[in-house]
Amino acid sequence: MIDYLSGKLVFKDPTYVIIDVNGIGYHVKISLQTYTEIKDEEQIKLLTYLHIKEDAHTLFGFKLEDEKRLFLLLLSINGVGPSTGLMILSSLSSSEIEHAILAGDVATIQHVKGIGAKTAQRIILELKDKVGKGGSDTSIASLGFLKSGNKIREEALQALITLGFPKAAAEKNIATVLKKTTGEISLEDLIKASLKTS
């Protein structure tokens, strides 16, 4: 229904953006991959997917065609909804997901919060013949700028809570990652590492 949005980037968070299109502000949920790709653009174009439920219409946005294609493939799997699809795309890069599917790597996919062994096996079984067509070289890269410790911790915590983590678990995961980190860490690298911490 809405294939893409093109307008002014009004607000950016690791889990969503607000885009002003001719005076209308669209709230669009995004993955860490898209957050990284957006950087600090003023004018932005995102490919979108509109998910309609009885009680909500939710827009999901993607900077790259590869990511949107992978998201739609994930939605075709029984037991994978839009929020879970976004969680997978925030925990792993598109290339990591495709590699895991092609290699039959159940453990990597199962490491994503909310994905059990059966769902991981189903994703691999049903998507093995569909991924890799067109390829993907998307990866979560460092933003090139680093934020101060407290601010980055708060933003990462907020992002994990938005993604469905209980506050206590999110705080614990962030603390674990920061203990292992020497030097500075970018916001999305902190979130990504925290998503993988069990």
Side-chain angles (χ1 to χ4, degrees):
M1 185 180 167
I2 301 174
D3 197 54
Y4 68 87
L5 290 175
S6 183
K8 184 180 179 185
L9 180 61
V10 177
F11 181 81
K12 183 178 83 164
D13 178 86
T15 57
Y16 75 94
V17 291
I18 297 173
I19 302 174
D20 183 321
V21 182
N22 297 324
I24 299 172
Y26 290 89
H27 183 288
V28 187
K29 292 194 172 190
I30 59 169
S31 72
L32 274 178
Q33 289 189 50
T34 290
Y35 175 80
T36 302
E37 290 291 334
I38 290 170
K39 298 189 171 52
D40 286 321
E41 299 172 20
E42 281 190 29
Q43 292 296 315
I44 187 174
K45 178 181 177 182
L46 286 186
L47 304 167
T48 56
Y49 168 78
L50 178 62
H51 181 66
I52 298 175
K53 291 195 301 184
E54 278 184 29
D55 57 346
H57 289 199
T58 310
L59 270 173
F60 294 85
F62 312 92
K63 184 71 175 163
L64 300 174
E65 184 67 52
D66 271 343
E67 190 187 5
K68 182 179 179 181
R69 180 180 61 83
L70 200 48
F71 178 77
L72 294 175
L73 285 174
L74 288 167
L75 289 194
S76 70
I77 306 298
N78 188 25
V80 178
S83 295
T84 304
L86 211 59
M87 178 71 80
I88 295 170
L89 290 165
S90 288
S91 301
L92 303 164
S93 69
S94 295
S95 57
E96 286 172 330
I97 296 164
E98 292 191 356
H99 184 269
I101 290 169
L102 292 170
D105 185 354
V106 174
T108 294
I109 295 172
Q110 197 182 334
H111 210 67
V112 177
K113 181 182 183 288
I115 301 290
K118 283 185 179 177
T119 304
Q121 287 165 355
R122 204 179 298 129
I123 288 170
I124 288 168
L125 189 68
E126 294 184 28
L127 298 187
K128 208 160 195 171
D129 295 332
K130 297 178 183 176
V131 301
K133 294 173 181 176
S136 168
D137 58 1
T138 308
S139 64
I140 301 245
S142 178
L143 262 184
F145 67 86
L146 301 163
K147 305 194 177 196
S148 66
N150 281 341
K151 189 177 178 198
I152 189 175
R153 185 190 283 257
E154 283 303 311
E155 288 187 23
L157 177 62
Q158 203 52 54
L160 290 176
I161 291 168
T162 304
L163 286 167
F165 274 77
K167 188 176 180 185
E171 285 174 339
K172 185 182 170 192
N173 286 12
I174 289 168
T176 302
V177 173
L178 291 176
K179 267 184 205 168
K180 294 177 186 172
T181 304
T182 52
E184 301 266 8
I185 185 169
S186 67
L187 177 59
E188 61 272 30
D189 283 344
L190 177 56
I191 296 168
K192 187 183 176 193
S194 298
L195 285 171
K196 291 183 177 178
T197 304
S198 50

